[in-house]
Amino acid sequence: MPNTILGPFFVRGAPAYPLGANICLDGKGEPLVVRGRVVDTEGKPVAAAAIDAWQTNDDGFYDVQQRGIQPAHNMRALFTADADGRYWFKSVKPRHYPIPADGPVGQLLERLGGHPNRAAHLHFIVTAPNYEPVITHIFTPDCPYLKEDAVFGVKRELIADFQRVDDSEEAKRFGLSAPFWLVEWNFTLVPSEHAISRDDLIGVLRPADG
């Protein structure tokens, strides 16, 4: 499982939700179901793996950029994989957004003739005892900025298959209305006797700006 940059606006203390919960609290955007498994390098399930997930809302802002506008902890949560390593939750299809460009970053981008847009993605941190953590994104395949991501975080292996589902009966299974988007994504963790714990990892990660 390729790692990539942590990305902006990670927040410690995101709420722990049961599998299947909806992390979109503002009701904006195209419904999305994210599901998959956490396995080891032999394909065996990693039970009780911790899955931190977060993203912008449909307006292209993280909750901490719009305190008092977005609900607290909108579009972010912590999930625990089941005994078979499976996880799933509801969200909305991510969209591209501009990174803050009113300081040195903006000046650098201007000199390079670039733009501040990040390709549409969801963030993940996946951890389990005795495994190396994974810090990664998954990207939508139809985003116009895949080849022009402002922070060069896109890797081909991280571009996911987002399927549009128009089946109303399938939508009811997830408590949604058709159409909705479905993405299946598995995480592979590498065993390690010296792997950092989730608590220790979260403790050293830089919290959200602002």
Side-chain angles (χ1 to χ4, degrees):
M1 168 56 58
N3 281 289
T4 187
I5 60 172
L6 174 64
F9 302 111
F10 170 77
V11 170
R12 299 169 186 158
Y17 288 155
L19 294 176
N22 195 336
I23 69 173
C24 178
L25 305 182
D26 62 8
K28 297 180 178 181
E30 301 175 72
L32 168 70
V33 172
V34 184
R35 68 182 181 186
R37 296 181 70 205
V38 183
V39 298
D40 64 17
T41 50
E42 296 181 351
K44 297 177 181 179
V46 180
I51 301 138
D52 284 90
W54 73 101
Q55 66 180 93
T56 65
N57 75 345
D58 195 56
D59 294 326
F61 294 98
Y62 293 90
D63 59 336
V64 291
Q65 292 177 288
Q66 292 187 314
R67 291 189 174 100
I69 299 175
Q70 290 191 43
H73 301 298
N74 189 33
M75 310 305 300
R76 64 176 76 241
L78 170 66
F79 296 99
T80 301
D82 68 14
D84 197 34
R86 297 188 184 279
Y87 74 94
W88 79 281
F89 63 92
K90 291 178 281 190
S91 183
V92 294
K93 188 183 181 189
R95 53 155 292 169
H96 62 80
Y97 63 90
I99 61 174
D102 55 354
V105 172
Q107 296 172 11
L108 176 60
L109 288 171
E110 184 177 358
R111 290 178 182 176
L112 294 174
H115 58 76
N117 291 308
R118 288 231 57 203
H121 59 270
L122 291 87
H123 298 267
F124 292 97
I125 298 176
V126 184
T127 55
N130 302 315
Y131 290 90
E132 293 291 338
V134 168
I135 298 174
T136 195
H137 305 1
I138 62 172
F139 295 87
T140 64
D142 57 352
C143 180
Y145 295 105
L146 283 178
K147 297 181 179 180
E148 302 174 4
D149 184 49
V151 300
F152 310 105
V154 177
K155 296 181 180 180
R156 183 174 58 186
E157 302 93 330
L158 299 178
I159 300 173
D161 180 17
F162 281 69
Q163 303 174 34
R164 182 182 169 91
V165 180
D166 292 304
D167 186 329
S168 59
E169 290 302 315
E170 185 72 1
K172 287 181 182 179
R173 290 184 55 242
F174 296 111
L176 297 172
S177 299
F180 69 98
W181 294 92
L182 174 66
V183 61
E184 300 200 28
W185 195 262
N186 297 331
F187 298 97
T188 301
L189 302 187
V190 177
S192 174
E193 294 181 359
H194 307 291
I196 185 172
S197 70
R198 177 183 180 275
D199 288 344
D200 288 341
L201 175 64
I202 299 303
V204 301
L205 291 177
R206 183 182 178 186
D209 295 326

